[in-house]
Amino acid sequence: MSNLVSFLVVFPLLVGVPLAFVTRGKVRNALVVAGGAVIALASLATAIAFGNGSAVFFGLPGDLEPGLAVVAAEAAIALVVIVVSLQHGRRLAPVLATAQLAIAVWLEVTGRMPAADPARLFGFDRLSMVMVLIVGIIGTLICIHALGYMRDYQRTYPQTGGRRQAFFPLLFLFLSSMFGLVTANHLPLLLVFWEVTTLCSFLLIGYTRTGETIGYAFRALNMNLFGGLGFSLAIVLLAAQPDGLDLARLTAGPAGAALLPAIALLALAGLTKSAQLPFSSWLLGAMYAPSPTSALLHSSTMVKAGVFLLLRLSPAMAGSAVGNLVAFTGLLTFLFVSFVATTEQNTKMVLAYSTIGSLGLIVGSAGVGGAELAWVAVMLIIFHAVAKSLLFLVVGTLENRLYTKDMEHFDALLSRMPRLSVLALAGIAGMFIAPFGIVLAKWSAIRAFLEVPGWQGAAFVVILAFGSALTIFYWGKLLIKVLSTQAVDAYHRSVEDRVTGFEWFAELSHAVLVVILAASLGLLSESIVGPYARGLFPGGTGALLHLDPAVVSFMVLAVLFLPALALWSWRKSAYDVNDFYASGRTTNGEHAIAAALGGTRAVTLRNYYLVGVVNGEAVFRAGIVVCGALLTGMIVAGVVLRA
Amino acid sequence: MNPILLAPLFLLVAPLFGGLLTGVDRVISARMQGRVGPPVLQPFYDLGKLLQKDVRPVNPIVEPLLLGHVVFMALSGAMIVGGVDLLFTAFVFALAALLLVLAAGSVNSPYSFTGAERELIVLLASEPFFILMLAAVSKVTGESTFAGVLASPERVAPILPGIVLAFLLVATIKLRKSPFDISTSHHPHQELVRGLTSDMSGRLIGWVELAHWYESALLALFVLLLVNWSPPLALGAFLVVYFLEILVDNSTSRAKWQLVLQSTWAVTLVLAGGNVLALFLLRS
Amino acid sequence: MSFFSRSPWILHYDGSSCNGCDIEVLACLTPLYDVERFGIVNTGNPKHADILLVTGSVNERNIDIIQNLYRQMPDPKVVVAVGACACSGGIFARAYNVQGGIDKVVPVDVYVPGCAARPESIIDGVVQGIAALEQKRAKVA
Ligand code: SF4
């Protein structure tokens, strides 16, 4: 185990370093594909070696001690932050980074940092297994997709040409740190990996180095460093507690009052990383990064690190004021951003809001706690990772082909790009159609909230009821655009042929994964997620999936039957997409209507954005205020309860 | 009776029920306007004719989507009586409704598209209520299946007055009665040339009609969940509700979608949400 | 007898007319005549309709509209021309822009005379249209 995890952490770096010097496209392609394949296989091997049993703990190979290496790593991170920030004349980030470094040094110098148990530096349980598989497989697929995507991206943004070298090394550095993050058990070690992911995210958001993206990159950096500072403070508090820095022992059961402030600070770090309100704006800015970045960091893995930590904390905070406030923050975030998403026209932004919302559901489940909700959280992590990553990749490809991210320009996508549309449909279906995992998780969450006593339970149920309806609305609008049909000339139909093989491979694999995961939901629940949830909150019995898995499989089949039917009817029937009713006026091939006084008028159809009913910006601001107040309350509650 | 046997029974009986209901509705509406109206079996004649007519779909995906609409609408009812978790069926129901929206949206013509968007508004307006209602029913009875709720000694409606009131409003929309700029009722008073079905012909309209019958039967099942102690009383209550809806429809023929969205959400939040809140405070 | 005779859905189009026949058609929907008794529905959409009921004559500008509406109706379908204008051009036949009756542009199955045509004869025309519809269906099937 120890060797395998070390391999997962080290190997991506070994691939990344030579990539920084490769300039020939063919060599880069070969390196990324081969390296990715090895990483994916290694993550599978790790999962198999783990054998899906109870948690195991281990240290570095040869029982090495981390010792000063942790401080050295933090110093390196701080140095990079300070140098880059000062280059751009930014002040806040260096202050935050220096503060963190100062804390680490102070702990070490004054001898307050207790020695780590060399045999418990890392831990591996079912949740780690799930995360390792997501990072290993989805991560690899996204890297492969990026090979095709970045080639076209460079054409659109030629000014980034000189920095191409850095892109793939950063992706692999990120994979390495992510593997470390999900397996670390010693909190200071976890913090190092945590900050490396922050750094990767920062550098990737600012990839094009235009004034706009640099601003967003620093926003992301500041907010995440702020969360990291919370993490550091938590370590200070925990260093004084016996076994405080051992994550598994710390979160073995409900935290006592003495530990609550530290738990609250760790939760704060988790909330910033998973972009919950009031910190959501960094993830919105992060959408200016190239799409593979959005898929890898900002939907399927890095933001999941935040909810991963919160889920780890779940047994410790469940039932306490901290847990309740975390739950409200998450669920209200879900409600607020779903509202905002209905008014958003930029597809990538809709995906971002939906990501924040889904993360909010996970945060809410982790905050409330209990086996059922732990089950919900892990299910959401898995299904969201695959479906949302797929959507980001498809939108990325579309963006390169159509030069737009505007939902309204995806008109008649099914006619123009049938194959990409089918992939997009798979992703959207995975996000909100009935038998797929996310909806099942949402439903199970409502069921579980019914058991929560008092007004909180009622509030949770009401929030979920309205939030779900909003989700249906904004996905429905996107679906209408994708599914609309129109006559398309040969030139526009040929656009799809220019999508690269790398992109097809990655997206198709994702789509297949979406379907396979949905169909094997019962198995997944019984063998991995269920046992994990039961282990996290022992005591309950009975199935966590309140549905016959056969019903789920049947519904998946029924849903898959529709595209099959469509394909069949496509071959067979005689139809004329221009022959629509226009009050008797004739219509023609350009989707235009004969005008009364001669000539034609083009038909332009625009979705509803609830203008005049919902003001997106005001809702977002309200969300920041409300959730900000909740978080302040959370920290205060932690401190007050301790006193 | 074995719930697994009830599911096929529902599949057979529901269209008869829904069709008859529509027939009676048309007669009563006519009487309210001082007319005689069509025969009670008229909806079945219409369906029979529609299935015999030639079809010219505007695109190849309309019909598969509509078939999905019918199948999932029927399935959500069959799932309820067949013993699948009640709350889960709310999501199947939503999927069914969505498929109709997509079928109309796929046509990409001015009337159909606008109809689809407005139907999506209807979905947005009504979905929270159905989730809340089914959640509240489960909470009151402590049961999560249809048979369980019917067998429960707990009487649901008296404990959920807010939900019952909100149901009246939401049913108006779901039965396609009001508002006039959304509904696809048979009355000539609605705009958009029926929007949703503007570009559908022959059996395609037949599918929409059939799904609507299943939907009516589904709403009747919901009433049965609320009036869980006496099925005959539930049927009576449903018919009274339906009569009220016809009355509302014939007297408020100019309500528009903005009003409907806002008012439905307000009613759902205040009445249904308040009811759920009271329930949680008193019951736990 | 098939379902067609029990459920004829009508699309009403008004060409160049004095609106007299137009109003008589609407009168058929009122409580006095109430054609819904026979399952007749005024649809307003060619894709839903079985019977195209035209009042008024054909002029330069509505030729393609009438043809388009007729074309968009799914088979089987019939056309009923109501009133003198629709049958032959009526009193407007000589007008500079009028082409004549609607049989100039689409095949007409039933002619209902009158200026204006009375609701009774309009209903009678529709009933004859239904018979024609039945015949056409038999041919299609
Ligand atoms: S036939 Fe006579 S009543 Fe009818 S439209 Fe022509 S002029 Fe008017």
Side-chain angles (χ1 to χ4, degrees):
Chain A
M1 210 64 220
S2 168
N3 291 332
L4 277 169
V5 170
S6 315
F7 179 79
L8 282 178
V9 175
V10 176
F11 181 74
L13 297 178
L14 297 182
V15 182
V17 171
L19 273 174
F21 303 99
V22 171
T23 45
R24 297 247 332 258
K26 287 226 170 93
V27 182
R28 181 188 301 123
N29 294 353
L31 250 176
V32 170
V33 171
V38 172
I39 293 173
L41 287 177
S43 60
L44 267 176
T46 315
I48 293 169
F50 168 62
N52 194 22
S54 51
V56 290
F57 296 92
F58 46 89
L60 291 167
D63 281 340
L64 290 173
E65 294 247 11
L68 284 176
V70 170
V71 180
E74 294 216 14
I77 295 167
L79 193 68
V80 175
V81 170
I82 291 169
V83 169
V84 179
S85 307
L86 292 184
Q87 273 177 357
H88 291 93
R90 305 276 173 159
R91 302 262 146 68
L92 185 57
V95 172
L96 291 169
T98 317
Q100 265 191 64
L101 180 61
I103 290 174
V105 172
W106 176 72
L107 278 176
E108 204 63 47
V109 170
T110 56
R112 281 166 211 263
M113 182 69 95
D117 182 346
R120 289 179 66 87
L121 291 178
F122 291 92
F124 203 95
D125 63 355
R126 290 192 177 92
L127 182 59
S128 312
M129 176 172 89
V130 166
M131 292 300 290
V132 161
L133 286 176
I134 291 176
V135 176
I137 294 173
I138 304 291
T140 297
L141 287 176
I142 295 172
C143 288
I144 290 174
H145 182 274
L147 287 174
Y149 176 88
M150 291 314 285
R151 203 194 62 198
D152 293 315
Y153 189 81
Q154 307 297 347
R155 288 201 195 123
T156 321
Y157 299 92
Q159 78 277 17
T160 58
R163 260 161 284 128
R164 294 179 72 164
Q165 253 43 36
F167 186 78
F168 284 96
L170 277 175
L171 285 192
F172 280 91
L173 172 64
F174 170 76
L175 287 184
S176 153
S177 58
M178 208 53 212
F179 281 127
L181 199 158
V182 298
T183 52
N185 185 49
H186 184 53
L187 281 177
L189 201 60
L190 206 163
L191 177 61
V192 171
F193 292 121
W194 185 274
E195 294 298 358
V196 176
T197 61
T198 297
L199 203 59
C200 289
S201 160
F202 162 68
L203 293 172
L204 284 167
I205 297 172
Y207 178 70
T208 52
R209 292 205 209 167
T210 54
E212 200 182 23
T213 58
I214 288 175
Y216 292 128
F218 274 101
R219 188 194 288 170
L221 182 66
N222 290 340
M223 288 193 181
N224 277 304
L225 283 178
F226 177 72
L229 190 61
F231 204 129
S232 295
L233 288 174
I235 289 181
V236 172
L237 294 176
L238 289 170
Q241 307 284 340
D243 272 338
L245 295 178
D246 187 316
L247 183 58
R249 287 189 180 144
L250 173 69
T251 58
L259 288 176
L260 268 189
I263 301 285
L265 286 169
L266 284 176
L268 180 71
L271 291 171
T272 50
K273 198 81 172 176
S274 50
Q276 298 300 289
L277 284 170
F279 306 110
S280 302
S281 58
W282 79 258
L283 191 71
L284 301 176
M287 290 301 120
Y288 289 88
S291 282
T293 315
S294 312
L296 183 58
L297 277 75
H298 305 130
S299 74
S300 63
T301 56
M302 188 184 87
V303 287
K304 294 284 185 340
V307 290
F308 168 82
L309 180 64
L310 287 166
L311 190 54
R312 285 261 186 259
L313 294 176
S314 182
M317 64 185 175
S320 70
V322 173
N324 259 330
L325 286 166
V326 167
F328 268 107
T329 310
L331 293 176
L332 284 174
T333 298
F334 167 60
L335 185 63
F336 279 115
V337 296
S338 302
F339 247 117
V340 183
T342 58
T343 64
E344 182 58 59
Q345 213 169 322
N346 179 332
T347 315
K348 237 180 138 180
M349 285 299 175
V350 172
L351 295 187
Y353 284 119
S354 148
T355 302
I356 300 171
S358 304
L359 293 171
L361 277 179
I362 308 177
V363 170
S365 309
V368 178
E372 298 225 318
L373 287 167
W375 183 91
V376 168
V378 182
M379 281 294 178
L380 280 172
I381 288 180
I382 298 172
F383 283 94
H384 181 261
V386 184
K388 193 53 76 54
S389 165
L390 169 59
L391 281 172
F392 270 113
L393 296 184
V394 171
V395 170
T397 302
L398 285 175
E399 181 194 346
N400 270 344
R401 300 272 72 93
L402 301 177
Y403 307 103
T404 177
K405 288 179 265 192
D406 187 339
M407 193 195 290
E408 298 300 338
H409 294 157
F410 290 168
D411 259 334
L413 202 63
L414 190 66
S415 308
R416 291 190 283 168
M417 304 191 168
R419 284 165 287 168
L420 269 179
S421 301
V422 170
L423 294 173
L425 290 179
I428 300 177
M431 285 306 299
F432 87 114
I433 294 288
F436 292 93
I438 291 186
V439 172
L440 285 185
K442 222 181 257 176
W443 156 68
S444 302
I446 301 181
R447 273 193 65 118
F449 289 148
L450 282 179
E451 308 300 322
V452 176
W455 63 273
Q456 289 98 330
F460 294 156
V461 172
V462 171
I463 289 175
L464 244 74
F466 282 90
S468 301
L470 289 165
T471 344
I472 294 177
F473 184 70
Y474 66 77
W475 286 121
K477 284 195 300 186
L478 189 56
L479 269 180
I480 289 182
K481 281 290 165 187
V482 173
L483 282 175
S484 55
T485 50
Q486 191 172 321
V488 177
D489 59 30
Y491 168 72
H492 284 105
R493 226 175 297 125
S494 73
V495 171
E496 193 178 38
D497 298 337
R498 277 174 272 148
V499 176
T500 61
F502 295 117
E503 288 165 87
W504 283 128
F505 172 74
E507 288 160 14
L508 195 63
S509 311
H510 270 83
V512 171
L513 272 179
V514 167
V515 174
I516 291 182
L517 281 175
S520 56
L521 189 106
L523 191 69
L524 194 65
S525 163
E526 235 158 75
S527 58
I528 300 174
V529 184
Y532 170 74
R534 287 260 173 262
L536 201 60
F537 290 91
T541 48
L544 290 165
L545 175 64
H546 299 276
L547 201 60
D548 192 339
V551 173
V552 181
S553 313
F554 172 71
M555 277 203 66
V556 172
L557 274 182
V559 170
L560 285 182
F561 187 63
L562 294 182
L565 204 62
L567 205 65
W568 174 72
S569 100
W570 201 298
R571 295 270 150 81
K572 179 186 75 92
S573 70
Y575 55 90
D576 176 2
V577 292
N578 294 308
D579 191 24
F580 54 85
Y581 174 68
S583 305
R585 290 274 162 207
T586 42
T587 48
N588 74 14
E590 268 83 50
H591 211 62
I593 297 177
L597 295 175
T600 56
R601 293 275 178 277
V603 178
T604 335
L605 300 167
R606 290 283 170 262
N607 269 315
Y608 281 12
Y609 291 94
L610 301 186
V611 176
V613 183
V614 176
N615 178 345
E617 277 172 31
V619 172
F620 194 72
R621 276 198 301 272
I624 291 184
V625 172
V626 172
C627 293
L630 285 177
L631 281 197
T632 319
M634 177 180 86
I635 304 292
V636 172
V639 176
V640 170
L641 284 179
R642 188 189 189 195
Chain B
M1 202 195 296
N2 188 338
I4 299 297
L5 292 177
L6 277 176
L9 192 68
F10 175 85
L11 293 181
L12 288 177
V13 174
L16 297 180
F17 175 81
L20 271 181
L21 197 67
T22 315
V24 173
D25 172 11
R26 283 174 68 178
V27 174
I28 294 181
S29 292
R31 295 291 156 87
M32 281 181 180
Q33 296 162 6
R35 295 184 289 116
V36 176
V40 176
L41 293 181
Q42 185 63 40
F44 297 100
Y45 303 150
D46 288 348
L47 184 68
K49 176 202 72 177
L50 289 170
L51 294 183
Q52 283 180 338
K53 276 209 84 147
D54 190 26
V55 196
R56 271 184 306 179
V58 181
N59 66 42
I61 58 173
V62 167
E63 188 156 24
L65 287 168
L66 284 178
L67 285 175
H69 172 53
V70 179
V71 167
F72 282 104
M73 197 55 92
L75 259 186
S76 47
M79 279 179 163
I80 287 188
V81 296
V84 173
D85 185 282
L86 286 176
L87 256 176
F88 181 70
T89 53
F91 292 96
V92 184
F93 184 37
L95 169 63
L98 183 75
L99 284 167
L100 176 61
V101 171
L102 296 181
S106 77
V107 174
N108 209 14
S109 83
Y111 288 112
S112 297
F113 183 87
T114 314
E117 289 283 313
R118 290 184 182 173
E119 181 69 11
L120 202 53
I121 298 270
V122 167
L123 201 56
L124 174 61
S126 60
E127 184 61 15
F129 171 75
F130 287 114
I131 295 180
L132 280 183
M133 181 189 77
L134 294 171
V137 169
S138 300
K139 178 86 178 168
V140 169
T141 56
E143 297 284 348
S144 60
T145 60
F146 184 68
V149 172
L150 289 198
S152 163
E154 202 77 63
R155 293 186 171 196
V156 177
I159 306 174
L160 297 176
I163 299 268
V164 170
L165 280 178
F167 185 86
L168 295 179
L169 180 73
V170 176
T172 321
I173 317 173
K174 273 290 171 180
L175 290 169
R176 315 224 166 283
K177 287 303 188 183
S178 254
F180 87 106
D181 60 349
I182 290 178
S183 64
T184 67
S185 65
H186 271 279
H187 310 288
H189 70 218
Q190 60 95 37
E191 63 170 21
L192 283 184
V193 206
R194 299 187 77 186
L196 276 176
T197 57
S198 276
D199 287 290
M200 297 170 191
S201 53
R203 66 169 181 269
L204 301 189
I205 317 174
W207 298 139
V208 177
E209 207 49 16
L210 188 60
H212 181 51
W213 296 352
Y214 274 114
E215 196 176 7
S216 307
L218 192 63
L219 289 176
L221 284 185
F222 286 161
V223 174
L224 186 52
L225 286 176
L226 292 173
V227 188
N228 65 334
W229 62 95
S230 155
L233 187 61
L235 185 64
F238 178 74
L239 293 180
V240 171
V241 169
Y242 202 88
F243 182 77
L244 283 179
E245 300 304 350
I246 299 173
L247 198 64
V248 168
D249 173 39
N250 280 288
S251 48
T252 63
S253 50
R254 284 291 178 269
K256 291 198 184 168
W257 71 263
Q258 287 90 345
L259 176 73
V260 166
L261 177 61
Q262 284 164 339
S263 62
T264 315
W265 271 46
V267 167
T268 305
L269 188 63
V270 174
L271 288 181
N275 204 159
V276 169
L277 178 64
L279 187 65
F280 270 75
L281 288 178
L282 298 177
R283 280 294 169 99
S284 48
Chain C
M1 200 164 77
S2 80
F3 293 114
F4 278 88
S5 51
R6 289 178 181 272
S7 164
W9 289 2
I10 286 178
L11 172 68
H12 172 207
Y13 180 77
D14 188 29
S16 274
S17 81
C18 78
N19 283 39
C21 290
D22 196 21
I23 286 169
E24 297 301 326
V25 170
L26 291 182
C28 297
L29 300 173
T30 60
L32 194 57
Y33 298 100
D34 187 23
V35 288
E36 204 194 356
R37 277 180 297 160
F38 312 116
I40 297 176
V41 174
N42 189 9
T43 63
N45 182 335
K47 301 201 172 192
H48 298 187
D50 309 300
I51 298 178
L52 176 59
L53 198 123
V54 187
T55 51
S57 60
V58 171
N59 63 35
E60 295 280 0
R61 301 219 63 89
N62 67 15
I63 294 176
D64 52 337
I65 293 193
I66 297 177
Q67 282 176 334
N68 194 37
L69 290 176
Y70 180 74
R71 194 181 48 76
Q72 285 195 333
M73 287 169 64
D75 284 320
K77 56 190 171 189
V78 297
V79 180
V80 178
V82 172
C85 289
C87 293
S88 64
I91 58 166
F92 301 120
R94 289 275 178 91
Y96 71 98
N97 60 335
V98 168
Q99 304 278 308
I102 51 160
D103 50 7
K104 297 261 171 172
V105 287
V106 291
V108 174
D109 298 85
V110 181
Y111 296 88
V112 178
C115 178
R118 298 182 58 79
E120 288 87 344
S121 44
I122 294 176
I123 295 174
D124 193 44
V126 171
V127 170
Q128 288 189 32
I130 292 171
L133 200 60
E134 281 293 343
Q135 278 172 11
K136 289 195 181 182
R137 189 192 72 85
K139 240 182 267 169
V140 171

